Amino acid sequence: MTTSLSAAELANLVTAVPGVRGIEPGIGSTLRAIGSRIRQQDPRQARFGVVVEAGSHRAVIEIGIDGSRPVKEIVRDVQETIIRALSEAGEHDDASETRQDSDSSGVGNRNTPQVTVRVQSLL
């Protein structure tokens, strides 16, 4: 995962997915965002409702949905959008580095981002 995409940029991508009403922070992302500000860490990595863990290749997105589509489809589309964005950003970062894992496949690759989507409300 890369630090070239900020949490704010990811939030914009998520809210563009049909069926997503908006980012709705839960207690977990709220505490992380406050904690990162207190520790004076990179403010681009934690935002209320969006947390990007660069070292562990994980992102947590907390959303509210409008019920216009099945929940499963909305969550899948959000995950695919974030994984695609982070993977593309990671490819740009990897272009300047030599690959040590030349024989690794894309499936189950440890560099593939993992995205957790938490639906906070459904209207």
Side-chain angles (χ1 to χ4, degrees):
M1 188 169 292
T2 181
T3 58
S4 61
L5 281 176
S6 70
E9 291 169 321
L10 292 177
N12 288 335
L13 290 173
V14 168
T15 55
V17 173
V20 174
R21 195 166 32 101
I23 300 293
E24 284 194 21
I27 190 71
S29 70
T30 301
L31 291 175
R32 282 190 165 182
I34 291 170
S36 70
R37 285 183 173 84
I38 289 172
R39 290 184 300 253
Q40 298 179 351
Q41 294 175 336
D42 186 3
R44 299 180 325 140
Q45 296 307 98
R47 177 185 171 110
F48 297 104
V50 179
V51 178
V52 180
E53 299 174 2
S56 65
H57 301 276
R58 291 186 44 81
V60 178
I61 312 294
E62 297 173 331
I63 60 173
I65 58 178
D66 61 14
S68 62
R69 299 173 48 211
V71 174
K72 186 176 181 178
E73 289 179 13
I74 296 170
V75 170
R76 182 199 61 221
D77 290 349
V78 168
Q79 286 176 324
E80 289 174 353
T81 300
I82 298 301
I83 288 171
R84 185 174 42 252
L86 292 174
S87 295
E88 287 173 1
E91 287 173 8
H92 293 293
D93 289 348
D94 289 343
S96 62
E97 299 176 7
T98 58
R99 289 191 178 257
Q100 296 176 0
D101 305 329
S102 60
D103 61 339
S104 63
S105 66
V107 178
N109 189 347
R110 60 187 167 139
N111 292 327
T112 303
Q114 295 179 353
V115 179
T116 301
V117 177
R118 294 185 183 134
V119 178
Q120 300 295 343
S121 67
L122 172 64
L123 291 180

